[in-house]
Amino acid sequence: MEPLTPDSAPPDASAISLITERLRLRPLVPDDIDAVYAACQDPDVQRWTTIPSPYEREHAEHFIERVVPDMWQAGTNFVFAVEPVGGGPLLASINAHSQTGVWEVGYWTVKEHRGRGYTTEALCALVRWIFTELGAERVEWRAEAGNVGSRAVALKAGFVPEGTLRAALLTKETTRDVWIGAMLPSDLGLPSRHPYLPARP
């Protein structure tokens, strides 16, 4: 469980597939462009994420054909499609990204497939993968304060709320407060590379 470093090879996108009881997580591919474009027309996705608004098909094309492969190759952001394990429509998109050495998760769910626990199930699988394959010692969830849907998913997956960060998100030319939570390997019964000494109450 060595941490992913600038000198280590990132996971091979073509070889990654995370399987849960109901779901398969796999890297986004050009065949997903239409589904991602359609999903991102949802006002809630545009409101609570940093995607362009309005969201055009060219945005989906550029993101999936250029940005996603570049980020996988750089080892900075691993973006997955979430689909039924036996095949079927796009249910959600979920990612693990890091710019400061701490891994963070992000996700959105296709409107028609909300309320069925798909994103929570996918998030649990992704967090375990981040700990076991990327060697993370902490995984953070962040969302704009007020995004109760994202918060509900994170809490169900086991993230521990840690507070509110003031003006920690710049989106649509405005800084906004951010909710933050985290998971540690020990929360899943996994070992960590370093011992953890929590603060005493």
Side-chain angles (χ1 to χ4, degrees):
M1 191 179 67
E2 291 300 317
L4 189 66
T5 68
D7 297 326
S8 58
D12 179 4
S14 65
I16 297 295
S17 182
L18 309 181
I19 304 297
T20 72
E21 181 180 355
R22 298 183 295 169
L23 306 173
R24 176 184 179 224
L25 283 65
R26 53 150 181 88
L28 283 170
V29 295
D31 285 347
D32 296 312
I33 289 173
D34 287 338
V36 168
Y37 168 64
C40 290
Q41 299 310 300
D42 177 13
D44 284 337
V45 173
Q46 294 189 23
R47 167 64 182 86
W48 295 113
T49 70
T50 58
I51 66 170
S53 180
Y55 192 83
E56 308 293 347
R57 193 177 191 279
E58 304 89 81
H59 293 129
E61 292 172 350
H62 177 71
F63 181 68
I64 293 174
E65 294 176 344
R66 300 288 300 277
V67 177
V68 168
D70 287 349
M71 293 189 302
W72 271 87
Q73 187 172 11
T76 58
N77 193 339
F78 304 110
V79 186
F80 293 87
V82 179
E83 64 184 10
V85 69
L90 179 73
L91 305 174
S93 179
I94 193 167
N95 73 84
H97 55 277
S98 174
Q99 294 181 338
T100 62
V102 175
W103 287 94
E104 183 180 335
V105 294
Y107 44 83
W108 50 256
T109 310
V110 177
K111 183 176 182 178
E112 293 76 15
H113 301 295
R114 292 177 191 150
R116 303 175 191 177
Y118 292 138
T119 308
T120 299
E121 187 174 329
L123 182 57
C124 290
L126 180 66
V127 169
R128 181 170 290 272
W129 180 77
I130 295 170
F131 285 139
T132 59
E133 298 301 320
L134 304 183
E137 292 192 285
R138 173 181 167 91
V139 176
E140 292 184 349
W141 157 81
R142 299 186 183 210
E144 182 183 334
N147 189 346
V148 294
S150 179
R151 186 175 189 273
V153 169
L155 292 179
K156 289 176 184 175
F159 280 82
V160 177
E162 294 181 340
T164 300
L165 306 177
R166 295 185 302 158
L169 174 67
L170 175 62
T171 181
K172 301 173 177 64
E173 300 304 316
T174 302
T175 56
R176 303 168 190 261
D177 292 346
V178 168
W179 286 335
I180 183 170
M183 288 184 69
L184 306 178
S186 57
D187 294 329
L188 298 179
L190 297 171
S192 181
R193 290 181 295 113
H194 298 99
Y196 168 46
L197 181 62
R200 295 183 181 275

